[in-house]
Amino acid sequence: NDEQKPLDLSDSTLSYTETEATNSPNVTPGDFSDASTSPDAVKRSHWCNVAYWEHRTRVGRLYTVYEQSVSIFYDLPQGNGFCLGQLNLDNRSETVRRTRSKIGYGILLSKEPDGVWAYNRSEHPIFVNSPTLDIPNCRTLIVRKVMPGYSIKVFDYEKSCLLQHTAELDYADGPYDPNSVRISFAKGWGPCYSRQFITSCPCWLEILLSNNR
């Protein structure tokens, strides 16, 4: 698939101590650094916000991204970014708990010159839906499966501009956000799956891209 590429671990943005993960002790919440609240970050403009959902419930606050790339993970030794493992919710279902345990190193979301890429760093597939991955003027929901170790361009800026000028924005299935990407961990949804809607997925992300490119 031309839209997907293998994960290049030589990239400087991916140089975390993943090889030491099996020998690392459990990391306490204080060992994670949240770049979105640093004084330097506040001075810069953000390029996206990330919301974490469990079925129909949003868990935690919106995570604002200022850096060119951000890790979104459950357990990443000495990792910086959005740690989903720290988000608490009462009475989680067994399905959600099992799916959360599969997030692991999660994804790396990276803003690159040609668009936004998501790198699957977990040991399980991720599933992606995006306005720029859909087939123009096709009402069938397109959900792409990305295997571990691969990445996909989840948002193409140039294609988005063309779509917003030419697409017919009459959607019968509810509100439509041309700058929103949805990513589900481990569980797919849509016409090819038993879950028809992403709100049926146990653990998923909503990437809300800023209009300020």
Side-chain angles (χ1 to χ4, degrees):
N1 190 332
D2 293 338
E3 295 170 332
Q4 297 190 26
K5 60 184 180 182
L7 179 60
D8 182 6
L9 293 177
S10 65
D11 191 308
S12 60
T13 60
L14 305 177
S15 58
Y16 297 111
T17 55
E18 293 178 329
T19 54
E20 301 173 8
T22 54
N23 300 322
S24 299
N26 291 330
V27 181
T28 61
D31 291 329
F32 293 103
S33 118
D34 185 344
S36 75
T37 56
S38 68
D40 291 337
V42 175
K43 298 175 186 177
R44 298 190 301 273
S45 60
H46 69 283
W47 63 271
C48 79
N49 287 299
V50 181
Y52 169 65
W53 295 77
E54 293 177 0
H55 294 298
R56 293 178 174 271
T57 302
R58 201 183 90 190
V59 183
R61 62 181 178 83
L62 278 179
Y63 186 91
T64 303
V65 180
Y66 300 92
E67 304 294 340
Q68 289 298 107
S69 62
V70 61
S71 289
I72 305 169
F73 55 93
Y74 184 85
D75 181 20
L76 179 65
Q78 301 176 17
N80 297 328
F82 190 8
C83 178
L84 304 179
Q86 292 182 308
L87 301 179
N88 296 317
L89 183 68
D90 294 334
N91 303 317
R92 276 193 171 105
S93 69
E94 182 60 30
T95 301
V96 170
R97 286 196 292 270
R98 282 199 307 268
T99 306
R100 277 172 61 83
S101 71
K102 295 178 180 179
I103 296 173
Y105 295 163
I107 65 170
L108 180 94
L109 200 64
S110 177
K111 182 183 180 184
E112 301 179 15
D114 61 340
V116 179
W117 286 79
Y119 298 79
N120 184 3
R121 309 169 74 191
S122 74
E123 296 181 353
H124 299 272
I126 60 172
F127 298 84
V128 180
N129 170 253
S130 162
T132 64
L133 288 175
D134 282 337
I135 300 171
N137 299 320
C138 175
R139 293 182 177 274
T140 302
L141 181 73
I142 305 296
V143 177
R144 303 298 175 97
K145 181 179 183 179
V146 184
M147 299 302 291
Y150 281 79
S151 62
I152 187 170
K153 188 197 295 186
V154 297
F155 198 84
D156 185 311
Y157 288 132
E158 184 177 349
K159 197 171 181 181
S160 174
C161 290
L162 291 172
L163 287 172
Q164 291 189 45
H165 284 95
T166 62
E168 178 188 353
L169 299 180
D170 179 22
Y171 290 87
D173 57 349
Y176 171 78
D177 186 346
N179 297 307
S180 174
V181 175
R182 297 174 293 178
I183 300 175
S184 173
F185 292 104
K187 305 294 182 182
W189 82 98
C192 299
Y193 298 91
S194 59
R195 302 168 190 81
Q196 293 300 297
F197 307 102
I198 195 166
T199 49
S200 300
C201 294
C203 305
W204 58 281
L205 301 171
E206 186 177 22
I207 316 298
L208 304 166
L209 295 162
S210 170
N211 288 324
N212 303 318
R213 309 300 183 211

